[in-house]
Amino acid sequence: SPPFAFMCLFLSSIMGSTAKLVDLAGDGGSWFAEINDQWPGQAMCIKVDETLFEGSSEYQSISIFKTQNYGKMMTIDGCIQSTERDEFSYHEMMAHVPLFCHSNPTDVCIIGGGDGGVLREVLRHDCVKSACLCDIDGVVVAQSRAPLPHLAAAAAGLSPPSPAAAAAAA
């Protein structure tokens, strides 16, 4: 098998998605509500404490929120991409499964994944000698660095913050 392990991520919007901040409880608070045709009859609502970033690139709209129970959350085109509370389940599966299936993954290319979470997990493997993250959207990469250091530290060439430091910064 070739020495080059290839993983691919596609963070794209899903047709028929509606997302907005609404006051669901009638208490003046903000809730992020994602309603998507892909999951008929259900919606995902998360209580938002603060909007950390809202903007658009030439490819998509990006928002980062500080939430009450999920930590910081990134959305792209109104679809939840990751939250501090559960991002590990996605990033670990995207990285570890392909790397453990390869006999000697020394060089890894990650296409997409601009938040840096998959790169963080790839770099946990001692056999990996080089890893390249390639994302089309520089806004996702840039906005992940400050508010999402637990994900983006590896992409910036830094050590991720300790859990205590991350909790103190939140």
Side-chain angles (χ1 to χ4, degrees), residues 1 95-105:
S1 64
H96 300 304
V97 172
L99 290 176
F100 285 134
C101 289
H102 194 285
S103 63
N104 187 26

PDB file of all heavy atoms in Angstrom, residues 1 95-105:
ATOM      1  N   SER A   1       0.844  -1.187   0.000  1.00  0.00           N
ATOM      2  CA  SER A   1       0.000   0.000   0.000  1.00  0.00           C
ATOM      3  C   SER A   1       0.883   1.242   0.000  1.00  0.00           C
ATOM      4  O   SER A   1       1.978   1.238   0.545  1.00  0.00           O
ATOM      5  CB  SER A   1      -0.934  -0.015   1.194  1.00  0.00           C
ATOM      6  OG  SER A   1      -0.196   0.060   2.384  1.00  0.00           O
ATOM      7  N   ALA A  95     -10.466  10.660  11.838  1.00  0.00           N
ATOM      8  CA  ALA A  95      -9.018  10.489  11.832  1.00  0.00           C
ATOM      9  C   ALA A  95      -8.580   9.072  12.167  1.00  0.00           C
ATOM     10  O   ALA A  95      -7.815   8.454  11.416  1.00  0.00           O
ATOM     11  CB  ALA A  95      -8.372  11.470  12.820  1.00  0.00           C
ATOM     12  N   HIS A  96      -9.022   8.549  13.279  1.00  0.00           N
ATOM     13  CA  HIS A  96      -8.463   7.291  13.781  1.00  0.00           C
ATOM     14  C   HIS A  96      -8.853   6.070  12.955  1.00  0.00           C
ATOM     15  O   HIS A  96      -8.016   5.194  12.731  1.00  0.00           O
ATOM     16  CB  HIS A  96      -8.838   7.091  15.247  1.00  0.00           C
ATOM     17  CG  HIS A  96      -8.329   8.174  16.138  1.00  0.00           C
ATOM     18  ND1 HIS A  96      -6.994   8.522  16.206  1.00  0.00           N
ATOM     19  CD2 HIS A  96      -8.983   9.022  16.969  1.00  0.00           C
ATOM     20  CE1 HIS A  96      -6.850   9.522  17.058  1.00  0.00           C
ATOM     21  NE2 HIS A  96      -8.033   9.845  17.529  1.00  0.00           N
ATOM     22  N   VAL A  97     -10.087   6.000  12.488  1.00  0.00           N
ATOM     23  CA  VAL A  97     -10.503   4.817  11.719  1.00  0.00           C
ATOM     24  C   VAL A  97      -9.646   4.643  10.462  1.00  0.00           C
ATOM     25  O   VAL A  97      -9.055   3.575  10.258  1.00  0.00           O
ATOM     26  CB  VAL A  97     -12.010   4.853  11.399  1.00  0.00           C
ATOM     27  CG1 VAL A  97     -12.390   3.742  10.436  1.00  0.00           C
ATOM     28  CG2 VAL A  97     -12.830   4.754  12.685  1.00  0.00           C
ATOM     29  N   PRO A  98      -9.493   5.676   9.616  1.00  0.00           N
ATOM     30  CA  PRO A  98      -8.648   5.461   8.434  1.00  0.00           C
ATOM     31  C   PRO A  98      -7.178   5.207   8.776  1.00  0.00           C
ATOM     32  O   PRO A  98      -6.518   4.396   8.120  1.00  0.00           O
ATOM     33  CB  PRO A  98      -8.784   6.746   7.617  1.00  0.00           C
ATOM     34  CG  PRO A  98      -9.795   7.579   8.275  1.00  0.00           C
ATOM     35  CD  PRO A  98     -10.154   6.968   9.584  1.00  0.00           C
ATOM     36  N   LEU A  99      -6.669   5.885   9.807  1.00  0.00           N
ATOM     37  CA  LEU A  99      -5.258   5.697  10.147  1.00  0.00           C
ATOM     38  C   LEU A  99      -4.988   4.306  10.707  1.00  0.00           C
ATOM     39  O   LEU A  99      -3.938   3.716  10.436  1.00  0.00           O
ATOM     40  CB  LEU A  99      -4.793   6.771  11.128  1.00  0.00           C
ATOM     41  CG  LEU A  99      -4.688   8.178  10.525  1.00  0.00           C
ATOM     42  CD1 LEU A  99      -4.309   9.191  11.586  1.00  0.00           C
ATOM     43  CD2 LEU A  99      -3.700   8.219   9.377  1.00  0.00           C
ATOM     44  N   PHE A 100      -5.902   3.767  11.485  1.00  0.00           N
ATOM     45  CA  PHE A 100      -5.713   2.418  12.012  1.00  0.00           C
ATOM     46  C   PHE A 100      -5.900   1.351  10.937  1.00  0.00           C
ATOM     47  O   PHE A 100      -5.414   0.233  11.074  1.00  0.00           O
ATOM     48  CB  PHE A 100      -6.656   2.146  13.187  1.00  0.00           C
ATOM     49  CG  PHE A 100      -6.225   2.830  14.463  1.00  0.00           C
ATOM     50  CD1 PHE A 100      -7.144   3.520  15.227  1.00  0.00           C
ATOM     51  CD2 PHE A 100      -4.908   2.777  14.897  1.00  0.00           C
ATOM     52  CE1 PHE A 100      -6.758   4.152  16.398  1.00  0.00           C
ATOM     53  CE2 PHE A 100      -4.509   3.402  16.062  1.00  0.00           C
ATOM     54  CZ  PHE A 100      -5.438   4.094  16.816  1.00  0.00           C
ATOM     55  N   CYS A 101      -6.595   1.695   9.859  1.00  0.00           N
ATOM     56  CA  CYS A 101      -6.788   0.739   8.751  1.00  0.00           C
ATOM     57  C   CYS A 101      -5.587   0.707   7.812  1.00  0.00           C
ATOM     58  O   CYS A 101      -5.463  -0.197   6.997  1.00  0.00           O
ATOM     59  CB  CYS A 101      -8.045   1.089   7.963  1.00  0.00           C
ATOM     60  SG  CYS A 101      -9.562   0.753   8.866  1.00  0.00           S
ATOM     61  N   HIS A 102      -4.724   1.689   7.890  1.00  0.00           N
ATOM     62  CA  HIS A 102      -3.560   1.786   7.012  1.00  0.00           C
ATOM     63  C   HIS A 102      -2.358   1.165   7.725  1.00  0.00           C
ATOM     64  O   HIS A 102      -2.170   1.360   8.924  1.00  0.00           O
ATOM     65  CB  HIS A 102      -3.293   3.259   6.697  1.00  0.00           C
ATOM     66  CG  HIS A 102      -2.353   3.473   5.563  1.00  0.00           C
ATOM     67  ND1 HIS A 102      -0.994   3.275   5.679  1.00  0.00           N
ATOM     68  CD2 HIS A 102      -2.568   3.885   4.298  1.00  0.00           C
ATOM     69  CE1 HIS A 102      -0.415   3.556   4.526  1.00  0.00           C
ATOM     70  NE2 HIS A 102      -1.348   3.927   3.674  1.00  0.00           N
ATOM     71  N   SER A 103      -1.544   0.446   6.993  1.00  0.00           N
ATOM     72  CA  SER A 103      -0.409  -0.241   7.619  1.00  0.00           C
ATOM     73  C   SER A 103       0.688   0.705   8.119  1.00  0.00           C
ATOM     74  O   SER A 103       1.362   0.407   9.105  1.00  0.00           O
ATOM     75  CB  SER A 103       0.188  -1.257   6.651  1.00  0.00           C
ATOM     76  OG  SER A 103       0.692  -0.584   5.505  1.00  0.00           O
ATOM     77  N   ASN A 104       0.886   1.837   7.444  1.00  0.00           N
ATOM     78  CA  ASN A 104       1.946   2.759   7.858  1.00  0.00           C
ATOM     79  C   ASN A 104       1.641   4.164   7.341  1.00  0.00           C
ATOM     80  O   ASN A 104       2.291   4.640   6.406  1.00  0.00           O
ATOM     81  CB  ASN A 104       3.305   2.265   7.344  1.00  0.00           C
ATOM     82  CG  ASN A 104       4.443   3.099   7.908  1.00  0.00           C
ATOM     83  OD1 ASN A 104       4.326   3.688   8.979  1.00  0.00           O
ATOM     84  ND2 ASN A 104       5.541   3.160   7.182  1.00  0.00           N
ATOM     85  N   PRO A 105       0.697   4.853   7.967  1.00  0.00           N
ATOM     86  CA  PRO A 105       0.329   6.182   7.481  1.00  0.00           C
ATOM     87  C   PRO A 105       1.331   7.246   7.909  1.00  0.00           C
ATOM     88  O   PRO A 105       1.250   7.788   9.003  1.00  0.00           O
ATOM     89  CB  PRO A 105      -1.039   6.414   8.135  1.00  0.00           C
ATOM     90  CG  PRO A 105      -0.962   5.634   9.404  1.00  0.00           C
ATOM     91  CD  PRO A 105      -0.101   4.436   9.097  1.00  0.00           C
TER      92      PRO A 105
END
